[in-house]
């Protein structure tokens, strides 16, 4: 006669609930992405909020520090948009207008071995196809980016809702954490949950701040170096390189390829540009990035590549951006649970006399 195994049934229901939760998260992935971006923005602003919270007088609430931090943040964004965004837009429009003629001039130059000329022909044909298919959208998007950002409802979500969500994360983060801990009774499981949440907190804080600093470092190094080398559209290429730093591994590679092709077409010192890109990549990957992320992400490159491709397949560009922190979070949780199990096995058993 078949019996009913309570343990097997419990495991089955647990797996089913987890699968259902994953399906629901995938179905509402756009909303989840908005909340994740808001959380990452909160981690980015938290050092400024904490600084203002310490500097301001003690007879006040944290809301005042939050309000001042948002004023400073919005002011910085507006200042950068006015002073830097206008130059990027100007150079982008100039590049879009001159690109066909630059490509034609480069095609006429036939110096070099046949293999190089054949590769150049392939690049020219592909570049012409891409430009012909997207030139109108490219110019329209650049010229009217600000108007579109205010007229499209989906952009309003990013402009308005994300800062509001970040405000609540900063204001009530400690309270939310305490509520989550209260769901578990005191004991080893609650201690494990507390340790996992602390590790996740440190991971997200260091990862987001390091990512922004790496992007700013790339933009600064690119803009200064390209201006000194005489590379056309230096600010535009630097802005592109800085933004692509947010996509792990593949982003810098794509930026390097685009910068090299533009340098070739614009008759810039290509060899010097390539040497600079290689030297800077070594500096950032082996010196700057390990220093900034020493308490953040520690993943094998193969795992990072798998996450980037899998994230792109599941959710496009947002998936590539979130792939590394998601894998790092899974690693942190796994390591913390593994350490807790090892510690519980090594811990001496409590004598029966002490339990009475």
């Amino acid at each position: 006669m078949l019996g009913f195994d309570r343990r097997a049934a419990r495991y089955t229901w647990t797996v089913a609930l987890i699968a259902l939760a994953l399906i629901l998260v995938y179905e509402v992935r756009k909303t989840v992405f908005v909340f994740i971006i808001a959380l990452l923005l909160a981690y980015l602003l938290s050092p400024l909020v904490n600084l203002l919270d310490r500097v301001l007088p003690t007879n006040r609430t944290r809301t005042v520090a939050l309000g001042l931090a948002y004023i400073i943040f919005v002011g910085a964004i507006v200042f950068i948009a006015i002073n830097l965004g206008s130059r990027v837009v100007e150079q982008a429009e100039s590049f879009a207008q001159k690109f066909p003629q630059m490509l034609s001039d480069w095609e006429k130059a036939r110096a070099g071995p046949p293999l190089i000329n054949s590769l150049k022909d392939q690049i020219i044909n592909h570049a012409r196809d891409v430009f012909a298919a997207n030139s109108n959208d490219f110019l329209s998007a650049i010229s009217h980016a600000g108007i579109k950002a205010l007229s499209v409802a989906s952009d309003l979500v990013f402009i308005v809702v994300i800062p509001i969500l970040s405000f609540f994360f900063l204001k009530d983060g400690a309270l939310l954490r305490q509520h989550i801990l209260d769901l578990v009774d005191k004991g080893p499981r609650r201690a494990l949950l507390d340790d996992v949440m602390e590790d996740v907190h440190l991971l997200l804080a260091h990862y987001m701040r390091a990512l922004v600093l790496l992007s700013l470092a790339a933009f600064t190094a690119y803009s200064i170096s390209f201006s000194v080398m005489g590379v056309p559209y230096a600010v535009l290429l630097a802005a592109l390189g800085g933004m692509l730093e947010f996509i792990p591994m593949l982003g810098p590679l794509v930026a390097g390829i685009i910068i090299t092709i533009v340098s070739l077409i614009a008759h810039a010192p290509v060899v010097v540009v390539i040497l600079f890109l290689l030297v800077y990549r070594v500096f950032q990957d082996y010196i700057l990035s390990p220093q900034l992320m020493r308490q953040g992400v520690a993943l094998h490159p193969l795992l990072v590549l798998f996450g980037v491709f899998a994230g792109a397949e599941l959710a496009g560009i947002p998936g590539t951006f979130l792939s590394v922190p998601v894998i790092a979070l899974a690693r942190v949780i796994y390591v913390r649970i593994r350490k807790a199990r090892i510690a519980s096995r090594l811990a001496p058993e409590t004598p029966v006399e002490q339990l009475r």
Side-chain angles (χ1 to χ4, degrees):
M1 182 176 179
L2 296 176
F4 180 76
D5 191 341
R6 294 178 177 271
R7 186 176 183 181
R10 185 170 64 251
Y11 287 158
T12 302
W13 277 108
T14 301
V15 172
L17 290 175
I18 292 175
L20 179 61
L22 292 176
I23 293 173
L24 290 176
V25 169
Y26 181 77
E27 291 296 328
V28 296
R29 58 190 180 276
K30 292 182 179 179
T31 302
V32 172
F33 180 71
V34 171
F35 273 77
I36 292 175
I37 294 299
L39 179 62
L40 295 178
L41 178 60
Y43 273 108
L44 184 63
L45 294 177
S46 61
L48 178 60
V49 175
N50 295 333
L51 175 63
L52 294 174
D53 194 45
R54 291 192 300 266
V55 171
L56 292 175
T58 56
N59 54 350
R60 44 82 185 119
T61 63
R62 185 175 171 85
T63 306
V64 177
L66 283 170
L68 288 177
Y70 266 75
I71 292 174
I72 295 173
F73 175 73
V74 172
I77 294 297
V78 172
F79 177 81
I80 293 174
I82 293 175
N83 291 273
L84 180 62
S86 59
R87 295 185 61 187
V88 172
V89 170
E90 180 183 354
Q91 291 189 6
E93 291 179 341
S94 175
F95 175 75
Q97 293 173 0
K98 296 179 181 179
F99 180 75
Q101 183 61 41
M102 293 168 57
L103 203 61
S104 177
D105 294 340
W106 188 47
E107 185 180 15
K108 294 176 182 178
R110 284 289 166 180
L115 180 62
I116 299 298
N117 291 328
S118 175
L119 179 61
K120 184 171 72 171
D121 291 338
Q122 294 180 16
I123 295 175
I124 291 172
N125 293 332
H126 183 69
R128 279 178 173 164
D129 293 339
V130 172
F131 184 79
N134 301 282
S135 59
N136 293 331
D137 295 337
F138 179 71
L139 287 172
S140 178
I142 291 173
S143 302
H144 306 288
I147 298 175
K148 287 186 177 182
L150 295 176
S151 61
V152 180
S154 60
D155 290 336
L156 287 176
V157 171
F158 291 91
I159 296 173
V160 178
V161 175
I162 287 179
I164 294 175
L165 294 175
S166 299
F167 180 88
F168 285 112
F169 278 129
L170 288 167
K171 182 176 179 294
D172 300 325
L175 184 61
L176 292 173
R177 174 175 178 172
Q178 188 59 44
H179 282 320
I180 295 175
L181 288 175
D182 291 340
L183 296 174
V184 182
D185 296 332
K186 291 184 178 180
R189 291 186 178 181
R190 183 187 176 102
L192 174 61
L193 179 60
D194 191 13
D195 292 337
V196 169
M197 293 177 67
E198 182 64 23
D199 290 344
V200 170
H201 169 72
L202 293 176
L203 169 67
L204 292 178
H206 285 90
Y207 177 76
M208 191 59 192
R209 296 165 199 170
L211 202 60
V212 173
L213 290 176
L214 289 174
S215 177
L216 291 176
F219 171 78
T220 303
Y222 287 0
S223 58
I224 295 176
S225 301
F226 293 162
S227 299
V228 172
M229 297 177 202
V231 178
Y233 316 107
V235 179
L236 174 62
L237 296 177
L240 176 67
M243 288 188 296
L244 288 177
E245 287 292 331
F246 284 90
I247 300 178
M249 299 189 72
L250 294 182
L253 177 62
V254 172
I257 293 174
I258 294 175
I259 291 171
T260 302
I261 293 175
V262 172
S263 300
L264 281 169
I265 297 174
H267 302 289
V270 181
V271 177
V272 180
V273 171
I274 294 176
L275 288 176
F276 163 76
L277 292 174
L278 293 175
V279 171
Y280 180 79
R281 186 50 46 193
V282 171
F283 165 75
Q284 177 157 310
D285 290 345
Y286 293 96
I287 298 177
L288 185 60
S289 182
Q291 290 296 322
L292 294 176
M293 292 191 177
R294 59 184 181 276
Q295 299 182 17
V297 183
L299 299 174
H300 194 277
L302 291 177
L303 192 59
V304 173
L305 283 174
F306 171 80
V308 169
F309 285 116
E313 187 174 353
L314 289 174
I317 294 179
T320 60
F321 171 68
L322 297 177
S323 59
V324 171
V326 168
I327 295 176
L329 287 175
R331 175 185 175 276
V332 164
I333 295 173
Y334 166 76
V335 170
R336 179 57 69 176
I337 293 176
R338 181 172 177 272
K339 287 182 179 179
R341 288 185 175 180
I342 293 175
S344 63
R345 293 173 184 174
L346 297 178
E349 296 183 358
T350 305
V352 179
E353 293 78 5
Q354 296 182 11
L355 298 176
R356 294 178 179 176

